[in-house]
Amino acid sequence: MAVGIFDSGLGGLTVLSAVQDRLPDVDFVYLADSAHAPYGVRTADDIYALTKTATQRLFDAGCDLVILACNTASAAALRRMQEGWVPSDKRVLGVFVPLIEALTERQWGDNSPPREVAVKHVGLFATPATVASRAFQRELAFRAIGVDVEAQACGGVVDAIEEGDFILAEALVRSHVDALKRKMPEPQAAILGCTHYPLMQETFQEALGAEVKVYSQANLVAESLADYLGRHPDKLGTGEAAFLTTGDPRQVSSRATQFLRRSIQFTAA
């Protein structure tokens, strides 16, 4: 069985790279819905419909487990999919869970009442759709009290990264950090709430300051998946990967190769 990894574009490659490093014996199928990216400016219903279609494509490719390596899809579609659509023999996981586990220092299965945690002031950088969903704040509130979350919608960053314009992406990141710090002058931690953003992590860290702990999802998701597969060893494979896209395979392959600095060949989904 292969593990499916889905993103609206190429940001999820940061997750794929981390999980391949951590789990070299697992087969992966990566699907980029490049034809409809970015998701961050779409409505919740639109995101749900697109995410469901993409997840079904990964099920059809032999994936019993699919990771939504897209915060926008995780925020706007995951709960709705889990409650009324995902077949009983399949699993769909998002990227918020490992992040909140790390921030609150408690396991997801810990259903004790919310409690105070060490971090009190958190900046959340995410797409407009993720910010509008308030999904991160909702999930965090189940596990922690007394945490002030200031969300900053980072319009334009995903588009710039997908276009390979990292000069523009860096300028936008610095602008969004400045905007957040006007609302929260001294954040203790910052959440990079989009899987594209680890590509700009150094810029986020530099703009925020060395004293701010920056949480990025790729390694956290990799550790969470390793724990899951440790409990489900039947899902191990041979370490192969396939790459699918709804966009132009040649164009997407070229940009993916730039992102990961190794040859990546996408085929049409």
Side-chain angles (χ1 to χ4, degrees):
M1 187 211 78
V3 173
I5 296 184
F6 166 67
D7 186 29
S8 60
L10 298 178
L13 290 174
T14 62
V15 173
L16 175 67
S17 182
V19 295
Q20 283 185 311
D21 287 345
R22 180 66 177 81
L23 299 161
D25 296 325
V26 176
D27 298 337
F28 293 97
V29 179
Y30 184 92
L31 172 58
D33 189 14
S34 310
H36 301 104
Y39 278 19
V41 294
R42 292 181 176 275
T43 67
D45 284 346
D46 200 10
I47 295 164
Y48 172 74
L50 290 169
T51 303
K52 191 170 69 168
T53 298
T55 301
Q56 184 61 57
R57 176 67 182 85
L58 288 167
F59 287 162
D60 294 342
C63 302
D64 292 338
L65 168 64
V66 173
I67 297 171
L68 303 186
C70 172
N71 287 268
T72 301
S74 293
L78 178 60
R79 184 178 291 270
R80 186 173 166 187
M81 289 170 62
Q82 289 173 332
E83 289 176 349
W85 179 77
V86 178
S88 60
D89 61 336
K90 308 288 187 184
R91 288 206 68 189
V92 180
L93 306 175
V95 285
F96 281 148
V97 170
L99 190 61
I100 292 175
E101 285 181 335
L103 187 63
T104 62
E105 297 183 346
R106 60 188 289 187
Q107 294 299 306
W108 199 252
D110 178 354
N111 293 317
S112 59
R115 59 177 180 261
E116 290 193 356
V117 295
V119 176
K120 302 297 183 185
H121 304 288
V122 177
L124 169 65
F125 296 96
T127 66
T130 297
V131 170
S133 75
R134 295 189 60 82
F136 177 82
Q137 292 92 321
R138 182 179 64 246
E139 298 294 346
L140 180 63
F142 289 140
R143 290 155 187 84
I145 57 175
V147 181
D148 178 23
V149 178
E150 188 66 60
Q152 176 63 35
C154 298
V157 175
V158 169
D159 306 75
I161 291 173
E162 288 281 329
E163 292 296 324
D165 190 342
F166 287 92
I167 294 175
L168 175 59
E170 180 175 332
L172 288 168
V173 165
R174 293 185 184 281
S175 174
H176 290 308
V177 170
D178 286 345
L180 180 121
K181 292 180 82 170
R182 286 195 292 272
K183 298 178 286 186
M184 179 180 278
E186 296 183 358
Q188 296 169 285
I191 306 299
L192 303 189
C194 173
T195 50
H196 285 76
Y197 297 174
L199 295 165
M200 306 303 300
Q201 185 164 347
E202 289 185 9
T203 304
F204 274 105
Q205 186 72 72
E206 183 180 318
L208 285 160
E211 70 282 0
V212 179
K213 181 172 178 58
V214 175
Y215 287 86
S216 182
Q217 293 165 310
N219 291 331
L220 296 173
V221 171
E223 287 303 319
S224 181
L225 181 59
D227 177 69
Y228 176 83
L229 293 178
R231 292 179 279 113
H232 301 81
D234 57 305
K235 293 177 172 51
L236 296 178
T238 58
E240 296 182 357
F243 300 88
L244 306 173
T245 180
T246 58
D248 179 346
R250 291 178 61 184
Q251 185 180 65
V252 175
S253 297
S254 175
R255 288 181 179 155
T257 297
Q258 284 182 303
F259 280 13
L260 294 188
R261 294 182 173 86
R262 59 185 174 89
S263 180
I264 301 292
Q265 294 299 318
F266 276 81
T267 58

